[in-house]
Every structure is written in C-alpha cells, then in structure tokens.
Amino acid sequence: MNKDKSSYKKINGKNYRKNVGIVVFNSDKKVLFCKRLNSKIGSWQFPQGGIDVGETEDVAALRELAEETGITSAQIVYSDKNWYKYDFPEEVRKSKKYYEDVNGQIQKWFLVKFTGNDDEIKIPSEEFEDYKWTDLSLTLVNEVISFKQEVYKEVITKFLKVLKDI
C-alpha cells in the first residue's frame, strides 16, 4: 500500500484510500471472479487495487489487473463516472498494520474486455488462490465479504446494463 497521503481522499473527516475495481469479461460475456488467498469469509471478489501517486485511474486499473491476475491482453470498454466507498470494519483495520490510518476505500470501477487466452491468467497469485468465469449476476454479492456488498450491488446492477449493450 502506498503510504503517501496524496493517494488518499478525505471524506467527512475520514481517510479513504483511492482504489480501482475491475470487472473483466471474456468473449462469452462471462466475468472473472477471484477467490482471495487465505480468506476465511466472503472470499470472492473482482480484481482491485490502489491508485499510485501521479497515476491515472485507467492506468491503475490495467496495472492492478496485470499484477493480480497476469492479464495484460485487456481493453477498457467502460469507466464508471461514480466513485463508490466502503469502510473497513475495526477488526480489519486492526488486523493489517497498513490499514491503521485509513478508514476504507473509495473506488472507481472499470469494465474490461479480456482479449487473450485463459493460459495468460496467473492464479494463484499474491492476492488470489482460484478463479472462475461466471455470469454477471447480483447473486455474486453473496460470495463477497460483507463490508463490500453494497458497493458490489451498485456496480453489478450498473454493469449488467452496460454489458448487455456491448
């Protein structure tokens, strides 16, 4: 995690780490859903990660996608104009030293088309232990850790409409 404060946004007196979320879809319009490494609860999610100081959101999205999944054959097809935020529960903030000075994350979400072959995907990785291609559906929210579920509901609802028109 980049500790430089310019990678944070202050909202109502709280610090939020700037972050990108990436919904990747393939030629069958299935989305990549990844199982977090060593997670005990709500262990599935879309790739996501921090925005480095001086980095644009779209560059961060493609960098994080490559770092977390190995995917480099990708094209951004949609960037949500909204920012979504969630707070970390206190037990999460206490469990990870680098979350001590941040209350949560504020995210810009991207819809990305995967143009490569599955052998490009490098999971397990430092973040994930498994992945699956699945239909984009609100039922995926049930597999996500509880404090991210509201953001996932909003993003999935919006991206279902966008994906249908692609």
Side-chain angles (χ1 to χ4, degrees):
M1 169 181 266
N2 188 334
K3 297 299 274 182
D4 182 45
K5 297 295 183 200
S6 62
S7 64
Y8 290 29
K9 181 172 179 76
K10 193 169 277 291
I11 301 172
N12 297 326
K14 294 181 176 180
N15 286 326
Y16 290 88
R17 179 178 175 237
K18 291 182 183 177
N19 187 282
V20 291
I22 307 109
V23 178
V24 180
F25 70 96
N26 64 15
S27 60
D28 296 324
K29 292 192 177 179
K30 301 285 187 186
V31 295
L32 182 74
F33 211 44
C34 301
K35 186 175 184 184
R36 289 201 55 86
L37 191 64
N38 300 324
S39 183
K40 295 175 183 72
I41 56 170
S43 58
W44 290 83
Q45 70 176 52
F46 296 117
Q48 69 174 57
I51 301 170
D52 290 341
V53 176
E55 187 175 46
T56 62
E57 291 91 5
D58 58 338
V59 168
L62 294 175
R63 176 187 51 75
E64 283 292 339
L65 181 61
E67 287 177 5
E68 292 189 354
T69 68
I71 293 175
T72 57
S73 301
Q75 173 186 352
I76 295 172
V77 297
Y78 179 77
S79 170
D80 196 335
K81 292 181 179 22
N82 295 322
W83 286 86
Y84 301 88
K85 74 174 178 66
Y86 60 82
D87 290 322
F88 294 125
E90 195 60 34
E91 64 270 14
V92 171
R93 290 182 67 204
K94 288 180 179 177
S95 71
K96 301 200 183 221
K97 188 170 181 68
Y98 53 83
Y99 285 156
E100 288 176 343
D101 61 347
V102 66
N103 298 91
Q105 299 198 99
I106 184 165
Q107 299 180 307
K108 174 76 75 169
W109 280 85
F110 293 84
L111 186 61
V112 174
K113 183 175 184 178
F114 176 48
T115 58
N117 298 315
D118 281 6
D119 59 358
E120 181 176 325
I121 301 170
K122 304 296 183 232
I123 294 176
S125 67
E126 288 185 21
E127 297 285 333
F128 302 120
E129 64 180 278
D130 200 5
Y131 76 96
K132 60 185 173 183
W133 289 106
T134 188
D135 290 321
L136 185 60
S137 163
L138 283 171
T139 60
L140 295 177
V141 172
N142 299 327
E143 299 179 60
V144 175
I145 197 161
S146 62
F147 62 89
K148 295 182 182 181
Q149 287 183 351
E150 282 304 312
V151 168
Y152 271 67
K153 284 179 194 172
E154 291 181 51
V155 170
I156 289 171
T157 299
K158 182 175 276 187
F159 282 21
L160 276 168
K161 295 173 187 168
V162 175
L163 191 57
K164 186 174 80 174
D165 293 336
I166 292 176

